[in-house]
């Protein structure tokens, strides 16, 4: 007898990214088609067997402070692995820029496509979290621990390896040795062409950028500025701790460039022609994500509780943007203020001038005076009174309330089979995975799915269902509310496609998307994303069903 398919659970880890035009956390990567060729194990090309750029020694430059060491790396193998992860959709990045490089200059073909798909599958075959025992203190909202995932450790292995043999060894600490060898064999397929690109232009650009950034940070005292914020964040860092910045050569392209923080490692794309003064605020922004996450779990859990305990309806959504807003205000803005005061003035006046997402941009600008006063008083992020002061700035920035998407961070979701693309579209529009974290399941009748909500009462929630699953919503009267379930059921009898919004508790919203096809679902996601003010009730974007006779 054939067994039914296993329920699908999709936890989405909290990973910080910056799409910097200036900074903006990116949406989670869109899923790549699962219908490609089987895994390949190509033999290394002849050129790959020879000494090459991807087997070179490390190039690094330092900017030293009294407490921290900033290390800027310009190395070929991390650049190649980053490009492959990027084109495989493994993380937000300048994907269009790297695809153009390979297609227009490096001879992309069908074999490359199949090999990249095999590489993606090899990456996704290992997943999970690295859990602390005893477990971290209970927190009502997610703690910023992006580096405690298998995916993050795979990425870090690619950043710190300087040779293919090192990469295999580091990957093998997370995967099996055999899988590590297979992954490197797939990477080796691309190495000869990448090495020629690196020697032609990538090396000089990255090494010059490392030289210039280290000199700029030393000369302008930017390292000292960051060190002064260690106390504000209560970062639990050892004296002389290194912070690593891996510079990635990026060809000239009109797409937005990216940066990413994973624990003590930051990935900074360096567009062709970029000046160190333009990228320094990006570096500081990423550093502050690390300082925020480096506080003890006890402090971070208490900070999370301090927001919830205000009972402010904006508290959960404001906590979700806290990390990015602080990094933008204290990192991006303060670094620009040192290097380019007139430029900062223009950014402060322009919509989305500091951050390419309106909620974070407005909150970061509004919170600057509060943060300045807090620093002048010698008070930290974790001292009493921070949450109310921060929330006051959010209310100043959004006197009529935050837009609905802001209440989908963090996010727990139930997804009817076949509607996963709609969930990913919503997750991406809300930036839930990268800002607050998200988790989802398509096993509507499984007890563990109901527990997703019971164990996360302060998270935003979403349901993606067809009319056939409306009756199953009765199981979720607890997280949705009995009156809301009744209203949704009645609306479904007369409406082809709608999204229903209800506030379950102060600031905790549930969004129920009802449609029988993906195009209609995607219309609903776009309609909700366009709303600028909170609402409750049904938002209808498709004509009502004809009345039955």
């Amino acid at each position: 007898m054939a067994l039914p398919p296993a329920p699908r659970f999709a936890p989405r880890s909290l990973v910080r990214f910056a799409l910097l035009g200036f900074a903006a956390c990116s949406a989670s990567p869109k899923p790549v088609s699962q219908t490609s060729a089987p895994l390949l194990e190509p033999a290394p090309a002849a050129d790959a067997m020879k000494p090459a750029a991807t087997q070179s020694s490390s190039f690094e430059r330092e900017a030293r402070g009294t407490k921290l060491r900033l290390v800027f790396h310009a190395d070929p193998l991390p650049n190649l692995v980053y490009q492959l992860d990027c084109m495989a959709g493994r993380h937000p990045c300048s994907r269009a820029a790297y695809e153009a490089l390979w297609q227009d200059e490096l001879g992309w073909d069908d074999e490359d496509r199949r090999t990249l798909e095999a590489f993606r599958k090899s990456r996704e075959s290992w997943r999970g979290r690295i859990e602390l025992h005893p477990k971290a203190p209970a927190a009502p909202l997610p703690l910023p621990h992006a580096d405690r995932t298998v995916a993050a450790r795979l990425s870090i292995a690619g950043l710190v390896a300087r040779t293919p043999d090192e990469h295999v060894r580091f990957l093998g600490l997370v995967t099996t040795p055999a899988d590590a060898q297979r992954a490197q064999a797939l990477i080796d397929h691309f190495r000869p062409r990448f090495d020629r690109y690196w020697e032609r232009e990538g090396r000089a650009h990255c090494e010059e950028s490392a030289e210039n950034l280290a000199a700029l940070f030393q000369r302008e005292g930017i390292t000292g500025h960051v060190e002064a914020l260690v106390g504000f964040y209560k970062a639990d860092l050892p004296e002389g701790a290194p912070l690593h910045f891996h510079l990635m050569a990026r060809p000239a392209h009109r797409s937005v460039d990216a940066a990413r923080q994973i624990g003590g490692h930051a990935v900074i794309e360096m567009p062709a022609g970029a000046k160190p003064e333009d990228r320094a605020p990006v570096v500081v922004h990423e550093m502050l994500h690390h300082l925020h996450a480096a506080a003890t779990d006890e402090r971070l859990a208490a900070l999370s509780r301090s927001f919830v305990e205000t009972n402010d309806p904006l508290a959960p959504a404001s906590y979700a943007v806290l990390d990015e807003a602080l990094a933008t205000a204290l990192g991006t803005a303060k670094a620009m203020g040192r290097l380019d005061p007139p430029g900062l003035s223009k950014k402060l006046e322009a919509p989305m001038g500091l951050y390419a997402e309106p909620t974070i941009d407005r909150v970061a600008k509004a919170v600057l005076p509060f943060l300045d006063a807090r620093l002048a008083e010698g008070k930290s992020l974790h001292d009493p009174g921070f949450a109310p002061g921060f929330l006051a700035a959010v209310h100043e920035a959004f006197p009529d309330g935050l837009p609905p998407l802001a209440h989908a961070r963090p996010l727990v979701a139930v997804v009817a089979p076949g509607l996963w693309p709609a969930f990913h579209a919503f997750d991406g529009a809300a930036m839930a995975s990268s800002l607050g974290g998200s988790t989802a399941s398509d096993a509507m009748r499984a007890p563990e799915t109901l527990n997703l909500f019971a164990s996360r009462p302060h998270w935003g929630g979403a349901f993606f269902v067809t009319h056939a699953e409306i009756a199953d919503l009765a199981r979720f009267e607890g997280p949705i509310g009995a009156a809301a379930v009744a209203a949704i059921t009645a609306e479904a009898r007369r409406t082809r496609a709608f999204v229903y919004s209800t506030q379950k508790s102060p600031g905790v919203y549930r969004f129920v998307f009802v449609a029988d096809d993906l195009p209609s679902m995607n219309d609903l996601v776009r309609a909700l994303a366009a709303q600028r003010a909170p609402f409750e009730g049904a938002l209808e974007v498709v004509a009502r069903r004809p009345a039955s006779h």
Side-chain angles (χ1 to χ4, degrees):
M1 181 179 70
L3 294 175
R8 179 176 173 184
F9 288 86
R12 313 286 297 181
S13 63
L14 177 65
V15 180
R16 294 293 173 194
F17 290 92
L19 292 184
L20 296 151
F22 258 66
C25 271
S26 162
S28 59
K30 292 181 180 179
V32 181
S33 171
Q34 305 289 320
T35 58
S36 298
L39 287 176
L40 305 174
E41 294 184 35
D47 287 351
M49 304 301 291
K50 302 173 183 177
T54 40
Q55 294 177 320
S56 65
S57 58
S58 177
F59 182 95
E60 60 185 48
R61 293 294 182 267
E62 288 192 9
R64 285 182 173 267
T66 58
K67 301 176 183 177
L68 301 176
R69 287 190 300 124
L70 278 53
V71 187
F72 297 90
H73 300 273
D75 300 296
L77 185 57
N79 268 259
L80 172 57
V81 176
Y82 177 80
Q83 289 187 14
L84 297 179
D85 270 333
C86 174
M87 293 189 294
R90 291 285 294 158
H91 54 69
C93 56
S94 298
R95 184 171 180 172
Y98 292 116
E99 288 177 341
L101 168 68
W102 282 88
Q103 291 169 4
D104 299 343
E105 299 183 34
L106 302 183
W108 188 263
D109 59 22
D110 286 343
E111 185 179 1
D112 294 330
R113 180 186 58 77
R114 290 190 294 270
T115 306
L116 182 66
E117 174 65 5
F119 177 73
R120 182 190 66 78
K121 288 183 176 180
S122 75
R123 295 294 237 190
E124 293 185 354
S125 64
W126 293 91
R127 60 185 64 186
R129 292 192 60 82
I130 300 169
E131 298 290 353
L132 187 68
H133 289 282
K135 289 189 175 182
L141 295 166
L143 304 187
H145 291 317
D147 57 330
R148 297 184 187 177
T149 66
V150 169
R153 297 298 163 143
L154 295 176
S155 294
I156 291 172
L159 295 175
V160 301
R162 296 295 170 259
T163 67
D165 286 346
E166 278 191 355
H167 192 217
V168 169
R169 188 164 72 252
F170 296 154
L171 282 178
L173 298 174
V174 183
T175 72
T176 65
D179 275 359
Q181 290 279 4
R182 280 191 285 268
Q184 185 57 49
L186 295 167
I187 294 168
D188 286 342
H189 168 82
F190 299 95
R191 280 175 54 209
R193 284 169 291 165
F194 173 83
D195 286 342
R196 290 193 288 271
Y197 157 75
W198 182 258
E199 294 301 332
R200 185 177 72 243
E201 56 187 277
R203 177 191 296 277
H205 176 49
C206 272
E207 291 183 357
E208 182 181 8
S209 297
E211 293 266 15
N212 292 339
L213 280 168
L216 178 69
F217 271 68
Q218 205 74 48
R219 183 176 68 248
E220 299 295 334
I222 302 176
T223 309
H225 166 67
V226 176
E227 288 182 326
L229 293 173
V230 170
F232 172 79
Y233 280 100
K234 296 290 186 185
D236 188 20
L237 296 175
E239 198 78 12
L243 300 180
H244 298 279
F245 300 90
H246 304 271
L247 306 185
M248 303 297 165
R250 204 210 77 167
H253 196 269
R254 65 177 179 271
S255 58
V256 179
D257 49 87
R260 176 189 186 192
Q261 186 72 38
I262 320 171
H265 297 266
V267 178
I268 311 291
E269 290 184 1
M270 299 299 298
K275 298 177 181 179
E277 292 82 2
D278 296 333
R279 304 307 285 162
V282 180
V283 174
V284 179
H285 180 108
E286 294 306 315
M287 270 192 286
L288 298 194
H289 287 316
H290 180 51
L291 296 189
H292 180 49
T296 64
D297 285 352
E298 289 76 14
R299 289 188 188 278
L300 293 169
L303 179 64
S304 170
R305 289 193 298 272
S306 73
F307 271 76
V308 170
E309 288 167 359
T310 64
N311 291 316
D312 189 308
L314 300 190
S318 297
Y319 176 83
V321 301
L322 170 68
D323 191 2
E324 283 296 339
L326 292 179
T328 302
L330 297 176
T332 307
K334 294 298 185 183
M336 281 198 73
R338 283 173 171 263
L339 300 172
D340 183 13
L344 174 61
S345 297
K346 293 179 182 178
K347 295 285 187 183
L348 290 172
E349 293 172 2
M352 293 192 289
L354 287 179
Y355 200 100
E357 193 279 335
T359 306
I360 295 166
D361 183 72
R362 288 167 63 178
V363 171
K365 291 170 181 174
V367 82
L368 269 168
F370 168 68
L371 294 175
D372 285 339
R374 191 92 177 167
L375 290 168
E377 296 169 1
K379 294 181 178 178
S380 81
L381 168 64
H382 300 280
D383 288 328
F386 181 85
F390 186 86
L391 287 166
V394 177
H395 280 281
E396 178 186 339
F398 291 91
D400 297 323
L402 288 164
L405 280 185
H407 294 284
R409 311 163 181 156
L411 177 67
V412 57
V414 174
V415 187
L419 297 181
W420 281 97
F423 162 74
H424 288 301
F426 184 63
D427 184 41
M431 297 165 58
S433 290
S434 57
L435 285 179
S438 69
T439 187
S441 169
D442 62 6
M444 289 190 69
R445 299 178 183 179
E448 54 266 36
T449 300
L450 194 59
N451 188 55
L452 289 178
F453 289 89
S455 59
R456 297 166 177 84
H458 301 285
W459 290 37
F463 295 76
F464 297 83
V465 298
T466 67
H467 285 81
E469 284 97 22
I470 289 295
D472 288 326
L473 291 178
R475 298 187 64 252
F476 296 92
E477 283 189 353
I480 299 175
V485 169
I488 293 164
T489 302
E491 186 71 27
R493 295 192 188 102
R494 59 181 180 267
T495 308
R496 288 175 52 200
F498 65 96
V499 55
Y500 192 96
S501 171
T502 181
Q503 187 173 197
K504 184 65 176 65
S505 59
V508 179
Y509 281 78
R510 308 297 188 215
F511 303 103
V512 181
F513 295 82
V514 180
D516 291 334
D517 58 85
L518 273 176
S520 296
M521 272 290 179
N522 289 332
D523 286 342
L524 293 174
V525 170
R526 285 189 288 269
L528 184 66
Q531 302 302 305
R532 293 291 173 260
F535 72 95
E536 293 192 74
L539 177 66
E540 182 185 345
V541 296
V542 180
R544 291 178 179 271
R545 290 177 171 178
S548 56
H549 297 288

